[in-house]
Amino acid sequence: MDTWKIGPYEFRSRLLLGTGKFADLETQGKAVEVSEAEILTFAIRRLNLENPHEPNFLEQLDLKKFTLLPNTAGAYTAEEAVRIARLAKASGLCDMIKVEVIGDPKTLLPDPIGTLEASKILVEEGFIVLTYTNDDPILARRLQEAGVHAVMPGASPIGSGQGIVHENNLRFIIEDAKVPIIVDAGIGAPADCAKAMELGADGVLLNTAVALADNPVLMAEAMKLGVEAGRKGFLAGRIAKKRYASASSPTEGMIE
Amino acid sequence: MVVVLNGKKVELADDVQNVRALLASYQLQEKIVVVEQNGVIIDRTHYEESPIMDGDRIEIVHFVGGG
């Protein structure tokens, strides 16, 4: 069985699914089911006290089946991220945290300094830390030195659907990795998942590409298959690229 | 008394004197929420022993969909 670990936790699925932007809870439930994701991300927000009992996706989940990965989305400083992480952990539901410190509202690219600072603090506080980061190999190394349990470089800006824009950077990060590398954000299509996994990533985290697809449930299945295809391709070992052709059929025994 | 609850000024009923009573006033006892009072997270086992004072800043947060 091709399992993998993040900190002390072991998983079979290599597709991590976000839970934002779905049109309705029923579609979302089906998409989560067919994706076979074991790790689901959530955000922490104020409860709407004017309608505190509106249906909530988390409350419909069988929490024994899933590992929750709350994020620190919305944080623009390390302090804000740490505050959100502590609130998430105080729920008693999880000790994993997706550290996300944004540096710019237009691109939503991470602030590398705040990201590293928040990650350091949360590692020291005993969280299982998965850090969303720029696709910068040196920053990925610094995060690992700080003790994070997984590094999650973006493929491209959050929700952009551009796929992997810096393949070479991802390759460097993966080659250098001592913890799982999860390609997070910017995935648009199953081919992007396959590509990330073929490069040797340990997993893929996506949200918008499924939630806003014309058929989110079908896309969730397609993404699962993309991740699986890419993973198997990576394990199988692809052939080297060559400049010229190499015949697939025998060159001997030709009929004359 | 008046507190700032999730960013809004709210006048609490006279019988709401601690965090447990505050949650009960919104029927949130069974919901998965976390309470922060003046920047300090309140452990769920200590709701009853956590008095609310006039002017407190209280946040009640929960898990919502996100990526």
Side-chain angles (χ1 to χ4, degrees):
Chain A
M1 180 71 91
D2 178 31
T3 59
W4 61 304
K5 285 179 95 169
I6 302 172
Y9 303 118
E10 189 170 78
F11 302 101
R12 282 171 286 112
S13 168
R14 291 171 182 273
L15 174 60
L16 295 76
L17 200 61
T19 59
K21 297 184 185 169
F22 281 86
D24 61 83
L25 295 184
E26 193 191 344
T27 305
Q28 182 166 16
K30 284 183 188 159
V32 166
E33 193 182 338
V34 303
S35 76
E36 294 180 12
E38 296 170 297
I39 303 173
L40 301 177
T41 65
F42 286 88
I44 305 297
R45 290 291 179 272
R46 283 174 168 163
L47 184 67
N48 175 9
L49 291 170
E50 274 150 38
N51 188 10
H53 297 285
E54 63 190 329
N56 174 294
F57 184 64
L58 180 77
E59 291 174 354
Q60 301 186 0
L61 277 181
D62 178 355
L63 293 176
K64 286 188 229 76
K65 282 191 190 166
F66 298 98
T67 299
L68 303 186
L69 177 56
N71 64 35
T72 65
Y76 276 78
T77 65
E79 292 73 24
E80 287 167 2
V82 168
R83 182 186 186 196
I84 297 169
R86 288 173 182 159
L87 287 166
K89 195 177 183 184
S91 70
L93 298 177
C94 50
D95 62 357
M96 291 213 306
I97 189 75
K98 169 177 165 174
V99 174
E100 180 175 341
V101 180
I102 297 301
D104 169 61
K106 187 172 169 187
T107 61
L108 296 179
L109 288 173
D111 171 358
I113 296 163
T115 296
L116 181 58
E117 279 176 11
S119 297
K120 276 184 186 167
I121 293 167
L122 294 170
V123 165
E124 279 170 21
E125 292 190 10
F127 284 81
I128 304 300
V129 176
L130 294 76
T131 301
Y132 166 61
T133 167
N134 305 73
D135 54 3
D136 176 345
I138 308 306
L139 180 57
R141 190 181 294 169
R142 293 279 176 270
L143 287 164
Q144 290 174 75
E145 287 165 2
V148 304
H149 302 84
V151 176
M152 306 206 291
S156 51
I158 294 170
S160 72
Q162 292 176 35
I164 296 168
V165 292
H166 299 136
E167 184 177 318
N168 223 31
N169 279 14
L170 277 186
R171 212 184 289 275
F172 291 152
I173 291 171
I174 289 164
E175 280 174 9
D176 194 45
K178 294 175 180 61
V179 300
I181 302 299
I182 299 163
V183 174
D184 177 8
I187 297 292
D192 303 329
C193 295
K195 185 72 198 177
M197 297 307 292
E198 284 175 37
L199 291 174
D202 295 278
V204 173
L205 198 171
L206 58 89
N207 186 157
T208 306
V210 165
L212 297 189
D214 289 342
N215 184 335
V217 180
L218 190 57
M219 187 59 85
E221 186 183 7
M223 292 298 188
K224 177 194 78 165
L225 294 171
V227 168
E228 287 177 4
R231 175 64 184 171
K232 287 185 179 172
F234 170 73
L235 292 174
R238 61 154 295 148
I239 60 164
K241 290 184 182 177
K242 282 184 277 200
R243 184 179 292 264
Y244 296 111
S246 161
S248 300
S249 305
T251 49
E252 287 109 50
M254 289 297 295
I255 304 156
E256 290 180 25
Chain B
M1 71 185 139
V2 176
V3 299
V4 180
L5 182 56
N6 284 3
K8 286 183 186 161
K9 278 193 178 172
V10 176
E11 170 99 49
L12 299 182
D14 289 345
D15 58 344
V16 177
Q17 295 291 329
N18 59 46
V19 171
R20 183 170 180 271
L22 175 67
L23 292 178
S25 71
Y26 287 96
Q27 282 124 37
L28 299 176
Q29 304 94 317
E30 304 300 318
K31 286 191 71 91
I32 300 167
V33 298
V34 179
V35 180
E36 189 194 70
Q37 184 180 23
N38 301 324
V40 178
I41 293 170
I42 308 299
D43 188 296
R44 57 186 54 248
T45 60
H46 295 154
Y47 286 161
E48 196 154 11
E49 306 93 80
S50 300
I52 294 175
M53 304 294 181
D54 195 56
D56 276 356
R57 287 174 297 106
I58 299 171
E59 299 284 346
I60 303 177
V61 302
H62 69 151
F63 286 65
V64 301

